Amino acid sequence: MQPNLSEFWLGRKSRLWILGTVAILALIVANAAWLVPTLGELNTNAYLLHRAIALDVRNQLSNFLGQQEADLTNAADILNQGSASPVEIISRLMKEDRPFESVTLLNTNGIEKFKTHRFLLITEADLKDRSSDPLFKAVFSGQTYISPVVISGTSEPLITIAAPLNKDSGYSAIVAEINLKFLLEVVRNITVGKSGAAYVVDGDGYIIAHPNSSLVFGRANILNRKLILKALNGEEADTRDKNLSYQNEQKVKVFAVALPFQPRGWAVIVENPEVDALASSRQILSVGIISFGLEILLLFLLVWNYLNLARAATLFYGERNQREAILNSLSDGVIEYDSKSQIVLMNPKAEELLGVHFKDIGGRAITPDFSKNNPKYRGLVELMYPALAPYSSSVKEIPGTRVKTMEIHISSPELKLVVTLTQVVDQNGSVRGFLKILHDISRERLLSKIKSEFVTIAAHQLRTPLSAIKWSLKLLLDGDAGALNKEQESFLERGYETNERMIKLVNDLLSAARIEEGRFGYDFKDINMDEFLETVIKNYSEIVSRKSIKLKFEKIDGALPLVYADPEKLSLAFNNLLDNAIKYTPAGGQVLVKLEKKGNYALVSIADTGVGIPDSEQTRVFSKFFRASNVMRMETEGTGLGLFIVHNIIKRHGGDVHFTSHESKGTTFTFTLPLKKELVPKEESVPLEEFLETT
Ligand code: ADP
């Protein structure tokens, strides 16, 4: 009927691992796709920022040194021209805002002649011979000389600049010591993040300018840092290259950019703790990691949801398959339709019985004229609208259940069906549709008919000889064939009684068979119940007195309308009940017959103080051939057909039979008969009970 979707889900489940892995990989790639370039760009930005600072420092350094050099060369020019005295020139250079520490003139032999120092008093003895200095050699060949950085004792770092002079001036060079503390101010004024620094290293790796001056005076040498080495070799360097990374004096890993300061062979470095320098990169990285984590979590939830869904679906389809398997294997047809008469479900047996296919009519609304143009659907229409069927019995509720049942004969295909009806109710209790179970009784009906016919014929055939025997025995017993002795009379009496029992059995069989065929044949008349019951009861006076049983009849208080009934059949029913009450009540007991009125019904009860019916057997009381175990032990006579006949006769009259019974205490049978003709069914119907598995 339906494709097996549970396998579909299960198949998917096994592939879920692959899907999950692919999804995680995709997430990694997607995150990497934005994270890597972003981080790269942020690193580059950090680098560019630090480099810009380094460039600035380098420019300031260059300007500063250039300025000093220029001042000194100007002074040299003036000395060469002789337009001012050496004393005048030197004092101009030594002005307060100038970085010149000392200014000296060398004579042509390289011996210091004039020397002025900012803080020291220079005597004749302080003047040195510098003829063998590299300085003198440089100026001697007409070049400006700049010395390496010198730090001696606690003094600030110094460099010496010497500018050559014309021999005509009487001097060979003007030499100035320049205090590099001005450089210190430059690097101090530079801000590099929260705790970074810009500093300058000389060609030997000594720090010559640093915001932390102790590094300068402490002669810190950092030549061991590859970054510094590279910069001193004239190349720009930065710690994006992991080989160049290092920890600063505080053992903090730093992000650093180093620029060479070519003219001097120095290097300018800008360094910043990596945590600060790459703070935004780290933040972005954290955001990336968190979002990746969240995505994985989301993926996990998705997978979890999917698995739950798959599990629910497996369960659902499992149940559906199970239900379908059950429906498919049923030997009864099942059809369900909703409140709009749209077919919801139909099992193969129903398709077979009705000669239709679910795929053609599933979901379609079946109206009463649905089969007008489509005669093949006539059976289906008759089933759904029993009033259109050639025959439909009244609807009966199966006792003790909410299930209703009826017999429907459909014309195309020609079938006799016992249909069990159930309302399909949703959670709110409203009717969502109807479920009909179709039990084909055509064959059973046929068999039952054949059986009943057989029983009828057999019973008829038996009745004639039994009547003949009865009359012969009667003749003999009455002494018409001559006087009998006691022994002969007793034998004949036993024979007569046995024959009577045979006649009762045959009559009961005949009645049951006719009831089953639905042709018991009723002849209704208006009857007076009081008189009717009294007449029947009177017939038992002899039997009850013989059995020492008190039989009482409690008439109705006031008048009762006439009852529309078949006196012969009703008498059969009442006789059966009364006969049972007397038969199953031991001597000394009593039987009370009561006639009452209850609404539109006359109510007759026959209460005895007899053996009762065992609790466990009470459900079968109205079935054919039922005889309770306690009765079988004590009273062998009886056909077990009496109550079946009673039940059917009363039902045919539009009434009902009930009983209450307690073993060893007594039994009360009660039957009702309508007091209004309209309540009597129009026609005799065939009892359904024997075709229902529930009864
Ligand atoms: P039977 O021919 O055996 O009486 P019935 O159909 O009349 O057949 O009754 C069926 C069975 O119901 C009886 O055999 C008996 O076990 C039980 N029965 C019917 N009426 C009574 C009663 N008044 N007291 C006790 N048992 C009864």
Side-chain angles (χ1 to χ4, degrees), residues 585-586 590 607-613 661-667:
T585 299
Q590 67 164 344
D608 63 50
T609 56
V611 295
I613 303 167
S661 183
H662 299 284
E663 210 174 346
S664 313
K665 287 196 177 146
T667 307

Side-chain angles (χ1 to χ4, degrees), residues 360-395:
D360 300 334
I361 49 166
R364 289 175 68 183
I366 310 297
T367 55
D369 53 8
F370 190 75
S371 61
K372 253 188 193 156
N373 302 324
N374 256 322
K376 73 168 179 171
Y377 294 123
R378 191 171 330 145
L380 175 70
V381 171
E382 288 170 352
L383 176 81
M384 291 175 65
Y385 304 96
L388 303 176
Y391 170 79
S392 61
S393 72
S394 54
V395 178

Side-chain angles (χ1 to χ4, degrees), residues 230-535:
K230 197 170 174 189
L232 291 179
N233 278 336
E235 277 181 71
E236 282 194 22
D238 65 90
T239 50
R240 285 179 306 163
D241 177 352
K242 294 289 165 226
N243 286 327
L244 304 182
S245 71
Y246 65 94
Q247 291 182 345
N248 66 7
E249 299 70 31
Q250 285 87 40
K251 301 278 174 241
V252 175
K253 195 169 181 203
V254 292
F255 180 86
V257 176
L259 297 182
F261 182 54
Q262 279 300 17
R264 297 275 63 80
W266 302 346
V268 174
I269 296 102
V270 170
E271 75 176 28
N272 197 6
E274 201 174 71
V275 203
D276 294 340
L278 302 175
S280 42
S281 303
R282 273 162 203 264
Q283 268 169 14
I284 295 280
L285 189 67
S286 315
V287 169
I289 289 171
I290 291 170
S291 74
F292 179 68
L294 287 175
E295 283 159 14
I296 294 284
L297 191 75
L298 212 67
L299 185 77
F300 174 74
L301 282 176
L302 269 175
V303 170
W304 188 68
N305 254 353
Y306 179 87
L307 283 177
N308 270 351
L309 201 72
R311 216 169 294 141
T314 311
L315 217 66
F316 170 76
Y317 288 114
E319 269 170 24
R320 204 177 72 174
N321 289 346
Q322 211 174 6
R323 201 184 61 191
E324 277 173 9
I326 294 170
L327 282 176
N328 291 352
S329 64
L330 279 183
S331 58
D332 281 345
V334 177
I335 173 168
E336 186 187 332
Y337 51 91
D338 63 15
S339 47
K340 291 180 193 140
S341 300
Q342 287 170 344
I343 306 288
V344 176
L345 177 151
M346 202 175 215
N347 75 343
K349 184 67 186 177
E351 291 181 316
E352 182 194 320
L353 284 174
L354 301 171
V356 296
H357 291 292
F358 178 68
K359 63 174 169 36
D360 300 334
I361 49 166
R364 289 175 68 183
I366 310 297
T367 55
D369 53 8
F370 190 75
S371 61
K372 253 188 193 156
N373 302 324
N374 256 322
K376 73 168 179 171
Y377 294 123
R378 191 171 330 145
L380 175 70
V381 171
E382 288 170 352
L383 176 81
M384 291 175 65
Y385 304 96
L388 303 176
Y391 170 79
S392 61
S393 72
S394 54
V395 178
K396 293 177 190 173
E397 194 156 307
I398 298 178
T401 68
R402 287 171 64 197
V403 177
K404 293 183 175 148
T405 185
M406 70 189 297
E407 184 170 343
I408 303 175
H409 296 182
I410 57 171
S411 56
S412 169
E414 210 174 301
L415 284 179
K416 295 181 172 67
L417 301 170
V418 169
V419 179
T420 309
L421 317 162
T422 320
Q423 284 183 339
V424 181
V425 178
D426 66 15
Q427 288 155 325
N428 309 324
S430 45
V431 178
R432 213 188 62 196
F434 304 91
L435 189 86
K436 286 186 171 173
I437 300 171
L438 325 176
H439 182 61
D440 179 12
I441 53 161
S442 310
R443 195 175 137 74
E444 281 106 318
R445 276 282 183 237
L446 189 68
L447 284 176
S448 167
K449 194 165 167 249
I450 295 168
K451 184 190 72 189
S452 301
E453 277 170 8
F454 169 77
V455 173
T456 310
I457 293 165
H460 260 302
Q461 295 298 321
L462 283 171
R463 222 152 57 149
T464 324
L466 286 173
S467 297
I469 294 169
K470 176 181 168 128
W471 294 119
S472 304
L473 290 175
K474 186 98 178 109
L475 273 174
L476 289 174
L477 276 170
D478 288 350
D480 290 353
L484 300 170
N485 64 30
K486 276 263 177 254
E487 206 180 352
Q488 287 168 333
E489 201 180 305
S490 149
F491 278 134
L492 283 178
E493 258 169 13
R494 260 191 275 158
Y496 183 82
E497 273 166 27
T498 312
N499 192 53
E500 278 297 289
R501 284 207 295 274
M502 283 291 286
I503 291 173
K504 180 164 179 351
L505 171 67
V506 167
N507 282 340
D508 280 356
L509 279 173
L510 207 56
S511 302
R514 284 185 179 152
I515 285 170
E516 282 179 348
E517 284 177 56
R519 50 181 200 89
F520 201 19
Y522 286 81
D523 188 9
F524 284 85
K525 290 189 179 67
D526 286 329
I527 58 168
N528 180 314
M529 275 305 277
D530 251 347
E531 288 170 11
F532 169 81
L533 294 176
E534 197 154 25
T535 321

Side-chain angles (χ1 to χ4, degrees), residues 529-544 550-555 571 574-575 578-579 582 591-595 604-606:
M529 275 305 277
D530 251 347
E531 288 170 11
F532 169 81
L533 294 176
E534 197 154 25
T535 321
V536 178
I537 290 167
K538 260 190 196 151
N539 293 336
Y540 286 84
S541 52
E542 199 193 317
I543 306 170
V544 289
K550 248 193 250 162
L551 172 60
K552 272 193 5 189
F553 175 39
E554 215 175 280
K555 290 189 172 186
S571 147
F574 183 54
N575 268 304
L578 198 53
D579 191 51
I582 295 165
V591 176
L592 172 66
V593 180
K594 235 194 218 174
L595 173 63
V604 180
S605 58
I606 303 107

Side-chain angles (χ1 to χ4, degrees), residues 90-124:
I90 291 171
S91 66
R92 232 186 267 167
L93 288 174
M94 294 294 283
K95 268 189 186 163
E96 280 207 351
D97 57 339
R98 295 277 174 96
F100 294 101
E101 192 82 359
S102 72
V103 177
T104 313
L105 291 176
L106 296 188
N107 70 10
T108 46
N109 297 324
I111 296 164
E112 293 180 340
K113 272 292 164 205
F114 269 113
K115 180 163 187 174
T116 312
H117 197 281
R118 195 172 290 279
F119 307 114
L120 303 176
L121 190 64
I122 305 294
T123 61
E124 211 39 50

